[in-house]
Each structure stands twice: as structure tokens, then as C-alpha cells.
Amino acid sequence: MGEYDAAVPELEGEENLIAAAKQIVRALGSKRNLTDDAKKILTELGTQLTTITTISENEVDEISDDEGRLNVIQEKIMIWETDQSMIWDLGPNEANEYINSADEVRKLTEKLEAMCLKDDGEKELLRRAHDVLQITMARLEEEFKHMLIQNRQPFEPEHMSFRSSEEDAGSVVSLGDESFEESQHRDSVSRNSEEYIVDLVYPYTIPELRCIANLMFISGYGHECSQAYVSVRRDALDEFLLILEIEKLSIEDVLRLEWGSLNSKIRRWVRTMKIFVRVYLASEKCLSEQIFGDLGTVNLVSFAEVSKASMLRLLNFGEAVSIGPHKPEKLFPILDMYEVLADLLPDIDSLYADEAGARVRIDCREVLRRLGDSVRAAFLEFENAISTNTSTNPIAGGGVHPLTKYVMNYLNALTGYRETLNFLLKDHDGEDTMSLSPDINPSTEEENAREGACDGSPLALHFRSVASILECNLDDKAKLYRDASLQHIFLMNNIHYMAQKVVNSNLKSILGDGWIRKHNWKFQQHEINYERNTWSSILAILKEEGNSNSSRTLLKERFRNFYTAFEEVYRTQTAWSIPNALLREDLRISTSLKVIQAYRTFVGRHTNQVSDKHIKYSADDLQNYLLDLFEGSQRSLHNPHRRS
């Protein structure tokens, strides 16, 4: 009590004053001539003086008790401070004892603050209580962080198997390459399972963490507790992204990436976003609620502070991709990014529903808009790339052009994004926003019906436009062939490929039966035109004109001319190619029916006018030779070649 000695004279002075007042009251009360009212007043005054005396004595005793309590608590706290061990590692008894001591010093501090402390000694006691409370809260903050770190549970759920190797991801090749990768890999963005919640720290530690948090907040150290939590959990989140190989890249870094590297990072981003939002962030928010759920909106603010920077980092990558060059090969990865972000939008809105998460919600929608713009730009670039694709050399044999394969497989792969593209290829008023080829008019319902469009959707309009652009390009490429027959073989091959691709894929439901019928008719017309260009003049040699009794010399000349023409066709057209076996067989049969029938008739009619030595080939020989056409391997009948 030495430090309170200075207050004793003052207390004694107050006691003497009260004692003197009591004596005066007793003296006045002994007089007989007092009125009843005066006696009543003196009685009440005496009672009040007695009460004041009692209160003063109690306050002195209470201050003395509080000082004793503080001394005991301070001694305990300082013993723990000298020990380097973490209290919660020592067991539940030690932890409970420290929590009780911390709570006791908090209550003592609040009590002293509520009292009207007058002298310096009492104020000094309050300062000591604050110091002990501060030391206690600092230790609790340290213990809180230690528990969060040491009890962090490894995040390796079974559904992490989505981290498949990059080799299984398909890719879109450039225009002019041999073919489009038909097994175009697409990450599923559908919600196949409900949201996962995993324990990011061991569950048995949650009550202890919540207890510390509640005590720190009620003691006025909530900010320190929140900052400790945010610091630890933010580091854990960064470590998780590192496990998923998500690098910290600026927009400039992304724009400098080579396409192969960028494509790989985009696919990783698509996979990461799903598990990051639906599993990790959902679990992170749950953890925040478990610890800070009793403290109002603290859990929402803490969650936002923990995750906001990483979420914005992922969104910045999406923005960087959206502003890069809009090459056709980027369309599929960007569509994947758009779809996964659009699919996750409700989850993100739910996670960041409060004001603290407004920035994330706004940025998410802005990145989604930019990705949508990038999809439209890449699709338009795809159309432009087809129309401007030029060739200086024709494809050997008149086969299917790589451009045809690329475009049709590209369109087929896009059917998997049907709903998204129908949404993105129109503006908010429902009008088409992108240019179509000149022969496609979106406002002509009759044309839509004739083309067989099921719904006249933006996607159907644009796919017909792309097909039309491709056909125009193929017409130009056909002109590279000097032989008119080969031009028809080339166009027949390519239009047949287009039609079959539509028949045997999801394109059928978009382009429709009418489109298929129209293009079947087109390639059949080229088949007919081929036969006319190739065989009409040859068959004319065998055609009887006027008098059938031609001279033997003229007949022999006609046989020679026919054989020469046939051999030239054989030599030339065995090098031509019809890749589709059914189409090749169909043309051979059609040709054989015309040529062999005409040849049999001609030979039969003149068999008595010329000797066998002038009949170089039998009808069966010619029929067998016709089977060699369109195989893409040149042969000659001048060589000793016969089919067995």
C-alpha cells in the first residue's frame, strides 16, 4: 500500500469532517423546542452522514481488494511471459487458466474505468490494469496466429484430380495446317456436384480460436485479432495457389507470353477457378464464420480481406487475356474462360454479398463483359481469316483442302458452346451484331426456312455465313486447277466433306436438313459436271452417227482414238484423289455404267468388221481399270500393268 500513502491524509480529512457533522446533528437533536419537521430533517441528515461514512469505508476496502487482485493476475501473466512455450501447446488446463486470467484483467479494467477515480494512486492502478491487459492481448494474438498456422489442414481433396496433364488438352491449329484437332478437349464447367466444404484447420481447434477471438474483441483488441487472422489465412491462400501453379503475372507479362504457354495457363486458370471458388473460398468463408460468427459482420470483412487480393489477381489474368490479339485459335480457351466465370457468378455473388466484397463482384462482371467482347472479336477474325486465306498452289489430286477440314471441325467444336454463342452473337436488343456474308440475310425468314434453320438463331446465321465464305474461297481455289474436270472433282470432294460433316455431327441440328439437301445437290452437280467434262467427248467417239457401216479404216481409227483417250484419262485421273470411299465408289459405278455400256455396244456392233488384234481392251479390262481411278497414285496403261 506504500504507493497509496499519499491519499491517507485526504481520506482522514473527509472522515473528520463527517464526524463533526454528526456531532452537530446530535447536539441540535437534543434541543426540546424543535418542531417535528426540524426533527425529521435532522434524522434524515444523520442517516445520510452514516451512509456516506459506510460508502467511503467500502471504497477504500474495494480499491485495496482490486489492487490485490491485479497483483495476483499480473504475477501469473508475467510468469507466462517469461516462458517461451506456447500456452495452448501445454494442454487445455494451461489454456483455460490463461483465458480466465485474461478475462479477469479485462473485467477489472472495465470496473476501474467505470469508477470515479480521484487521486493519482487510483489512476495509477488503472494504468497498471491497462498495461497488463495489453500484454495479455498481445500474447493471445501470438497464440491465435500460432494455432491457425500449426493446425492448418493440408488441402488435398480427392477432386483435385482435375489437375490432369497438359498433354491431354486439345488445341486449335492455325488456318492452313493439315487439320483441326477434332478431339478438342473442353473442361466441363457444369455443376456436376454440390459445393464442397472442407476443413482448412483441424475442427477441434475451432472452439479455442473462437474463444480467443471473442475475448480479444470484447477487450477492445478486435482489430489486432482480425489482422492476425487475415495475415495467416492470406499466406495459406497464396500457398494454395502456388500448389495449383498459378503464377503472379501482370497484364504486360500475360501479353508477352507465347501462344502455347498462354494456352496452357488459360486451361490451368479454368480448372483453378472452379475449385478455388466452389471449394476453397467456400471453405475459407465457412472458417471465418466459425471463428468470428458471434461478432456481427466481422466474419464477412475478414473473409473479404483474406481472399480479395487473390481473387482480383485471377480476374486480372482474365482481363489480360481478353485484351490480347483476337486470333481464331484463342476462341475456344476464351469461351472456356467466359463460361466458367459466368457459371461461377452466382457463387461469387453469394461469397461477396456484403459491401466489403463489392469490388470483387464489380470486377467479375467487368471481366466477364470483356471476355464476351473478345469472343465476338475472335469469331469475326475467324470469318476474316477464312475469306482472306489464299493459296498459290492447288492441292495435289483435288482432294479435301485443309482449310475445309479446319473450318468444319472448328464449327463442330463450337457447337459445344451453343447457348453461350447464341447469347454473345447478339446484342441486348436481340439484333445480330456481326457482319454476315453477302448471301446470308438474317431478316429473310424464307431463306432461313429454305436453309433448314431450326430457329434462325444467331449461331445458325453465322454458321451458314461461315460455310458460305468457305465455299466462295473454295471456288477461288478450284480455279488453280487447269483441268476443268479436276476443278469439279475438287469442289465435289470439299462440298461432300462439308455435307457429311454436318450430317454426322451436332452441326446438323444447327444448319438443318435443308442446308444438307442443298449441299448434297451441289456436290452431285459437280459429279455430273465431271462426267460431262471427262467422258462426253470420249463417249462421242463410240457414238454411231448416220450410217453404221463405217469403213474398217475408220473403225480402227475410232478404236485407237478411244483407247488413247481412255489411257490418258487413266494416266491422269489415277493421280486424282477422292478420299471418301463411298463417294469414290459411287463415281466409279456411275462412270462405269456409262462408259462400259457404250463400249460393249460399240464393240458388239462392229466385232465382225475388225479383227481381235484391234480390240486392245475387253469391257472387263476397262471396268477393272476404272477401279484404279481417284486413288491418288498415278499409273499408266503403257506399262505392262494388269489387275490380277
Side-chain angles (χ1 to χ4, degrees):
M1 289 289 291
E3 55 193 291
Y4 286 95
D5 289 345
V8 173
E10 183 178 350
L11 291 174
E12 291 178 349
E14 291 179 357
E15 292 172 356
N16 292 335
L17 182 60
I18 293 171
K22 286 182 178 181
Q23 290 179 358
I24 294 172
V25 169
R26 284 196 296 269
L28 291 174
S30 64
K31 292 185 178 183
R32 298 180 179 179
N33 58 347
L34 291 176
T35 64
D36 291 339
D37 289 340
K39 289 179 180 179
K40 184 178 179 180
I41 291 172
L42 288 173
T43 301
E44 290 176 355
L45 180 58
T47 301
Q48 290 177 4
L49 289 172
T50 301
T51 301
I52 290 173
T53 302
T54 303
I55 290 174
S56 298
E57 291 172 352
N58 290 341
E59 284 182 349
V60 172
D61 292 339
E62 192 169 356
I63 289 293
S64 178
D65 290 343
D66 290 341
E67 182 182 17
R69 288 173 58 201
L70 181 59
N71 288 337
V72 172
I73 296 170
Q74 184 175 13
E75 183 178 354
K76 289 182 180 180
I77 296 298
M78 296 314 297
I79 290 174
W80 273 308
E81 284 299 303
T82 58
D83 190 345
Q84 297 299 315
S85 302
M86 302 305 294
I87 298 170
W88 265 256
D89 291 344
L90 300 176
N93 292 334
E94 291 283 336
N96 288 336
E97 188 176 350
Y98 194 87
I99 282 289
N100 291 334
S101 297
D103 191 44
E104 193 172 353
V105 74
R106 174 191 67 82
K107 293 176 180 177
L108 179 58
T109 303
E110 290 179 354
K111 176 184 176 183
L112 292 173
E113 287 176 339
M115 295 174 66
C116 297
L117 303 180
K118 301 173 182 178
D119 61 79
D120 292 339
E122 294 173 346
K123 294 177 181 178
E124 177 62 25
L125 183 63
L126 178 59
R127 282 194 293 270
R128 283 182 58 209
H130 274 298
D131 290 342
V132 175
L133 180 64
Q134 184 175 3
I135 293 171
T136 306
M137 291 297 113
R139 182 58 179 264
L140 285 178
E141 179 184 346
E142 185 180 353
E143 296 281 341
F144 186 73
K145 292 175 67 174
H146 176 75
M147 290 178 66
L148 282 172
I149 294 170
Q150 294 301 313
N151 292 283
R152 193 170 75 189
Q153 187 157 268
F155 184 46
E156 290 291 340
E158 293 178 358
H159 46 273
M160 286 279 285
S161 60
F162 80 95
R163 294 179 62 203
S164 56
S165 63
E166 297 301 326
E167 287 76 12
D168 67 354
S171 61
V172 183
V173 298
S174 301
L175 285 174
D177 284 349
E178 181 59 28
S179 67
F180 179 95
E181 179 58 57
E182 291 195 58
S183 59
Q184 170 72 21
H185 175 79
R186 182 182 175 201
D187 292 312
S188 172
V189 296
S190 60
R191 180 168 294 190
N192 296 322
S193 58
E194 60 187 46
E195 190 177 84
Y196 288 95
I197 299 293
V198 297
D199 294 319
L200 299 179
V201 300
Y202 290 108
Y204 62 81
T205 64
I206 297 297
E208 301 294 338
L209 291 167
R210 183 169 59 245
C211 178
I212 293 175
N214 289 342
L215 181 54
M216 289 187 71
F217 269 84
I218 200 173
S219 301
Y221 286 80
H223 177 73
E224 288 79 1
C225 183
S226 293
Q227 288 304 109
Y229 178 83
V230 169
S231 173
V232 172
R233 293 309 307 164
R234 188 182 287 163
D235 288 345
L237 189 150
D238 288 341
E239 183 177 325
F240 173 64
L241 290 179
L242 188 62
I243 293 173
L244 294 181
E245 300 177 12
I246 299 298
E247 305 172 51
K248 289 184 178 180
L249 298 172
S250 66
I251 290 179
E252 293 74 17
D253 292 334
V254 174
L255 294 177
R256 283 195 295 265
L257 290 173
E258 296 292 333
W259 167 238
S261 178
L262 178 60
N263 187 34
S264 175
K265 293 184 187 303
I266 289 174
R267 293 186 182 282
R268 192 177 299 126
W269 184 93
V270 169
R271 296 183 182 107
T272 296
M273 284 297 291
K274 287 180 283 187
I275 195 169
F276 182 70
V277 172
R278 289 187 177 152
V279 181
Y280 194 92
L281 289 189
S283 301
E284 189 68 63
K285 189 173 185 181
C286 180
L287 176 63
S288 181
E289 289 172 349
Q290 288 175 321
I291 295 175
F292 299 113
D294 300 333
L295 303 169
T297 61
V298 174
N299 63 310
L300 301 177
V301 175
S302 296
F303 165 73
E305 288 300 312
V306 166
S307 61
K308 184 165 56 178
S310 293
M311 191 65 193
L312 293 177
R313 177 173 129 201
L314 289 166
L315 292 175
N316 285 342
F317 178 81
E319 180 182 359
V321 171
S322 72
I323 64 179
H326 302 123
K327 297 179 180 179
E329 59 263 32
K330 288 180 65 176
L331 181 54
F332 292 93
I334 295 176
L335 273 167
D336 284 336
M337 294 182 75
Y338 180 91
E339 286 196 344
V340 76
L341 192 56
D343 191 51
L344 291 173
L345 195 60
D347 301 80
I348 293 171
D349 285 345
S350 176
L351 288 168
Y352 297 96
D354 59 309
E355 185 62 29
R359 168 78 185 282
V360 174
R361 298 197 309 273
I362 293 170
D363 280 16
C364 184
R365 281 168 170 75
E366 177 61 19
V367 171
L368 189 65
R369 183 191 66 79
R370 287 175 177 268
L371 288 171
D373 292 342
S374 186
V375 166
R376 286 186 284 268
F379 192 94
L380 182 59
E381 182 58 32
F382 169 60
E383 290 186 337
N384 293 336
I386 299 168
S387 63
T388 58
N389 181 269
T390 58
S391 301
T392 56
N393 297 312
I395 296 297
V400 179
H401 199 282
L403 178 65
T404 306
K405 295 179 181 179
Y406 174 87
V407 171
M408 297 310 296
N409 287 317
Y410 193 103
L411 291 180
N412 185 36
L414 284 176
T415 60
Y417 303 89
R418 185 171 185 167
E419 292 184 8
T420 299
L421 286 171
N422 271 327
F423 174 75
L424 292 176
L425 295 180
K426 66 179 180 180
D427 62 19
H428 296 295
D429 297 323
E431 298 295 331
D432 187 50
T433 61
M434 296 167 58
S435 63
L436 299 171
S437 65
D439 61 336
I440 298 294
N441 184 355
S443 63
T444 308
E445 295 183 6
E446 182 180 352
E447 177 68 14
N448 289 345
R450 190 160 57 249
E451 286 288 316
C454 297
D455 54 10
S457 65
L459 186 62
L461 293 172
H462 281 284
F463 276 19
R464 290 201 299 276
S465 173
V466 168
S468 179
I469 293 170
L470 174 60
E471 289 179 58
C472 291
N473 191 295
L474 291 173
D475 286 338
D476 291 337
K477 285 176 168 45
K479 295 173 184 176
L480 296 172
Y481 299 100
R482 295 180 181 179
D483 191 319
S485 295
L486 186 52
Q487 291 180 8
H488 290 297
I489 290 292
F490 173 77
L491 291 172
M492 179 192 70
N493 276 329
N494 283 271
I495 295 175
H496 178 267
Y497 181 91
M498 293 172 66
Q500 288 301 112
K501 196 67 182 180
V502 173
V503 168
N504 298 318
S505 71
N506 292 327
L507 288 168
K508 182 177 181 180
S509 63
I510 297 175
L511 293 176
D513 292 333
W515 188 96
I516 295 171
R517 287 193 296 270
K518 178 179 178 179
H519 286 76
N520 282 340
W521 177 86
K522 280 186 176 183
F523 82 75
Q524 288 166 3
Q525 285 301 115
H526 286 296
E527 182 178 356
I528 293 170
N529 290 334
Y530 155 78
E531 291 179 345
R532 287 174 180 170
N533 276 275
T534 298
W535 296 106
S536 292
S537 60
I538 298 175
L539 294 178
I541 298 173
L542 304 178
K543 188 176 181 182
E544 298 295 343
E545 296 179 2
N547 184 10
S548 60
N549 296 319
S550 303
S551 66
R552 293 185 63 185
T553 302
L554 182 57
L555 284 174
K556 288 189 283 187
E557 182 67 22
R558 290 172 70 183
F559 272 107
R560 282 195 299 270
N561 289 342
F562 174 79
Y563 293 141
T564 299
F566 185 90
E567 288 168 355
E568 178 59 25
V569 168
Y570 183 89
R571 184 190 66 81
T572 303
Q573 297 191 15
T574 51
W576 295 1
S577 174
I578 300 179
N580 184 272
L582 293 177
L583 181 61
R584 184 170 62 247
E585 185 64 21
D586 181 67
L587 186 54
R588 284 171 176 171
I589 292 172
S590 176
T591 301
S592 180
L593 288 174
K594 295 177 177 65
V595 174
I596 302 305
Q597 181 61 38
Y599 182 71
R600 286 184 192 277
T601 301
F602 184 76
V603 172
R605 183 172 296 158
H606 301 290
T607 185
N608 296 325
Q609 295 176 266
V610 294
S611 63
D612 289 344
K613 68 178 182 179
H614 294 106
I615 301 176
K616 192 173 183 180
Y617 306 111
S618 68
D620 289 340
D621 288 336
L622 294 183
Q623 190 162 8
N624 286 332
Y625 292 143
L626 287 174
L627 296 177
D628 292 336
L629 301 185
F630 317 124
E631 290 286 354
S633 177
Q634 192 171 47
R635 296 176 180 180
S636 175
L637 288 177
H638 295 299
N639 296 329
H641 165 76
R642 284 281 198 268
R643 279 181 170 269
S644 59

